[in-house]
Amino acid sequence: MHFMKHLIAGAAALVMATPAFAEFPDKSVTLVVGFRAGGGSDAAARILAAEMETQLGQKIIVENKGGGGGAVATQYIRSQPADGYTIGFAVATTFAFTPLTGRVDFTADDVDFIATTHGYRTVYAAPKEAPFDDWAGMIATAKDRGWINYASIIPLDRAIMQYIGKKEDIAVNIVPTRGGAGARQAVLGGHVDLGFSGSNALPMMEDGALKVIAALNPEGIAEHAQIPTLGGLGYDVAASEAAVFFGPKGMDPAARDRLEAALAEAVKSETFRDFVNNKFRGFETFRSGADTAASIAADTQAYEGLMAVIAE
Amino acid sequence: MDLILTAIWNALSLWTLLSVAGGVLIGIVIGAIPGLNAPMAIAVAIPLTFAMSPLSAIGMLVGVMKGGGFGGAVGAILLNTPGEPHSAATTLDGHPLAKSGKPRKALQTALYSSVVGDSCSDLVLILLAPVLAIYALKAGPVELAAILILSLTLVASLSGRSLAKGIFAAALGALLATVGLDLETGNPRFAFGYIELYDGLPLAAVAIGVLAVPEIILRLQDGRQAKTARPDATSDGEDRLALSEFKRLGKPIFRGAGIGTAIGALPGLGTTLAAFLSYAATQRFSKQPEKLGTGALEGIAATESANSAVSGANLIPLLTLGIPGNLTAALLVGAFLIHGVTPGPMIFERNAELVYGLFAAMIMANVMVLLIGSLGLRVFALIVKVPPHVVYPSVLLLCVVGIYVSQGGFFAVWLMLIFAVLGFVMIKMEISVVCFIIGLVLGPMIELSIRQSVILLGRNPVAIFDHVFALCLVVATPIVAWILIRDRARLSDG
Amino acid sequence: MALLWWIIPAQVNDRGSFGLPPSLAPRALAWVMVLCGTVLALQNTRTPAQPGTGLNLKDIVFLAACVTAVGVMLMAMQAVSGWIGRPYAGFLCVAPLALIAFTALHGRAPIWVYAFNAVAVPALVYVTFWWGLRLPLP
């Protein structure tokens, strides 16, 4: 049923989108997803790609080039022609944080942004048998004992925790884990005191399997107002993560605008909104290409400050 | 109880049945293509499920997972092209048997052991999942490190003629596995400036490169030197698994199923370890250990039942904790999320209907693998009858295409080519490629869990006495190693 | 066994020039590798290699031929897909030629095999991967 609906919508869009003159796009568009096939980020990209197909009236070929948190896909996109027929999908920190680590040779200025389609939410989770229930309790426990064990997943969360450790004068034992699953295992099994987690910790908290004591994203967790944000706790840091569509530097403006408009429509679809809110448990947000570039520039500045504090 | 019955009844609807069957078919076909594997099959199938009802969708994906497992064995046995490192264990006996003109027998053994192993672990999952999950969680980095260190003694029993070469190969594998971003510091190791290497060497590319491509090159060379690579024609009667033979395989199959279930329930160990452990155990307890590696049915049965058992047991941590045990399971979590199923301790209350439906679908998928697999046996066995000058060039192309598609780019294909050279050299030097794979897969796990343990215990050394189980395992390791080495010495004497 | 000798010093050299990150564990791991390698090398000098095993020149030449064939195919695919910006262009142009090369490496094949491999096999791959699985190829 669903499929038929798309088909009809697609056919309708095709008829409407083919006026007398040849307009972008007149052939299939390749979307390079910067993550392995099958994860939450990839699923969002594929849903959006399906919606864009109905908007643009052309096939969208989804290709996965995972690795380096979107860096591999970014490198690839930079080598492609800037005609709008090859675009990429990565996250905000790919451009705002990864370049600061000095491991890649691109910055946010080396690509053109098309749009931000949705936001990610990230939290600090603690085991349910932890001797504390909130952030203040965690800090008190850590001060009392002198140290806490913290399960880290990505360089950014590690940097933020180092920053907090410095501010609070506690020793943070950073335990590296492989991906979200490794960190969750460490938290659920009570092998660490605190761990970084994506929004998949929320249903676990609702089930009483773990405690969520703070949110790293500045927007906080709308449905659980009691969870404080780092900003609310008086720290001048945050992890703002969002899904970003981008293309090679100097993209054809007409094509870029067309893609941005298609994405602006695509994010309004019921399928996508349901996915983001109820399945992915991120949050809805749409930013134009220009706004995306501005917010990434602001993030970069904030992270530079963060790195400076850690390096002190 | 009512709820459970309704759930099972729902699962038996025609749609679910069809989607499970479709999933199994997709899984077998993709799994059998050189270079593609079960995770790839799931990634391909996920978009197909977007428009389905959650139960059909999950049923289909479970079908793909199980079909993919068997498909992998098909590739491993007939063409020596394992799509995942754990299939490397299946090639040890499966491929020699197929080459000796009994491809059907090898496939039948794989199919039946895999279905038995799978069903056993599914039963455990259905009956004990919530309880087991709680125990499994208690195994932290310290316990995992101890289990992994003990498993390293595997190298001793699988290292072929020279123990030193086996250790060398494992060390080389472990060294190559350190390529990529170091998890602790976030700095690249041995990446030579390629960001493609930041996430480590792609396992599928290395496995295909080291195991499959050299084999193809050797076959091509055979053709050139006018040697017949064709297996001797055997009568159909001989190329079939007799019931009595199957009965004799009971022990290795159930041992494999036990090992697979235990390892699968502990998140973070994985299929490869289970397959090799089971193989080594079978070798240890076999009445004719010298036959293993030359095409013994026991070897196929042990590995296939173990790695299929893992796939069922993997769902224990996955469903109850949301922790995937391997790549395939990780993809399943993503798919579950898309279909509104959130894994977690309360899943049996919140999504009861779906969970019991899933259990029914799993059993259904086992039956389907058996049915479709049996029908497919004839077709698959024909591959061996295709003239070699058609098979090997096409398989070479398929390996390239498969790696390109599954790893997303030319980079992985070049890596595959480099590792093909390495594999070819290793085969010629009689260095165990299998030990290399064990090092490659276990090395990083051991490294990570030891480093985690050191960090965790660093501030609190007394805590080590909380880990009595781990301590026992560490103490047992040299003893087990000594026994295995003594066995080797006895074998080579006799 | 000469190769074993060559691999190990190369590994040691790598280590020196590479400068591992300032974390203890990888360095410790690396040292274990070096140690293991040295022990092996010593063992190999003590027991000379038996004749008849190991690589011979013919193997190396054949290996090089195969690797070159695949390598040239990859480069050609990359080049062609760069010229024509459509999916599968590179694959469809290059794969038939590559298969002819692979078949030639195998040798002793009747002409119909060359034709079959060059036409039917790429077509089959194209149909399965694109129409069946919707996966893009170069």
Side-chain angles (χ1 to χ4, degrees), chain B residues 165 429, chain C residues 1-5 43-55:
Chain B
K165 279 183 188 171
M429 316 268 289
Chain C
M1 293 299 111
L3 208 89
L4 220 57
W5 263 106
Q43 256 183 3
N44 277 307
T45 43
R46 243 181 281 145
T47 52
Q50 327 66 325
T53 57
L55 284 167

Side-chain angles (χ1 to χ4, degrees), chain A residues 27-33 45-46 49-50 52-53 56 58-64 85-88, chain C residues 85-88 130 133-137:
Chain A
K27 61 173 182 175
S28 58
V29 175
T30 303
L31 173 63
V32 180
V33 175
R46 284 174 189 272
M52 283 171 85
E53 276 185 7
L56 298 173
Q58 281 290 346
K59 179 123 195 65
I60 298 206
I61 300 162
V62 179
E63 243 182 278
N64 294 86
Y85 287 102
T86 313
I87 57 173
Chain C
R86 298 226 172 211
Y88 279 93
W130 183 234
L133 308 175
R134 309 234 128 237
L135 294 167
L137 281 177

Side-chain angles (χ1 to χ4, degrees), chain B residues 62 154 227 439 447:
Chain B
V62 167
L154 277 178
K227 262 189 247 159
E447 192 204 353

Side-chain angles (χ1 to χ4, degrees), chain B residues 220 223-224 389, chain C residues 101-110 114:
Chain B
L220 289 175
R224 223 181 161 65
H389 38 243
Chain C
F102 296 161
T103 319
L105 281 170
H106 188 274
R108 292 202 325 125
Y114 283 91

Side-chain angles (χ1 to χ4, degrees), chain B residues 122-248:
Chain B
D122 289 352
L123 270 181
V124 174
L125 164 70
I126 293 168
L127 298 175
L128 296 172
V131 189
L132 264 180
I134 291 166
Y135 278 100
L137 261 188
K138 293 277 178 271
V142 184
E143 283 75 21
L144 291 187
I147 296 176
L148 286 164
I149 291 172
L150 180 63
S151 328
L152 258 197
T153 54
L154 277 178
V155 172
S157 61
L158 290 174
S159 57
R161 224 182 301 158
S162 149
L163 184 65
K165 279 183 188 171
I167 295 176
F168 175 79
L172 183 63
L175 182 66
L176 286 170
T178 62
V179 169
L181 283 187
D182 174 34
L183 278 174
E184 192 176 331
T185 60
N187 288 323
R189 290 191 279 179
F190 305 106
F192 301 97
Y194 290 103
I195 349 177
E196 288 90 340
L197 283 178
Y198 279 9
D199 281 358
L201 292 169
L203 268 184
V206 177
I208 288 280
V210 168
L211 291 156
V213 180
E215 177 72 18
I216 298 167
I217 295 178
L218 283 174
R219 296 287 138 251
L220 289 175
Q221 199 179 15
D222 278 353
R224 223 181 161 65
Q225 290 166 356
K227 262 189 247 159
T228 45
R230 309 267 291 135
D232 330 315
T234 349
S235 66
D236 237 23
E238 245 179 283
D239 188 13
R240 196 169 289 160
L241 188 68
L243 192 64
S244 59
E245 282 176 304
F246 186 65
K247 273 189 188 146
R248 245 177 293 144

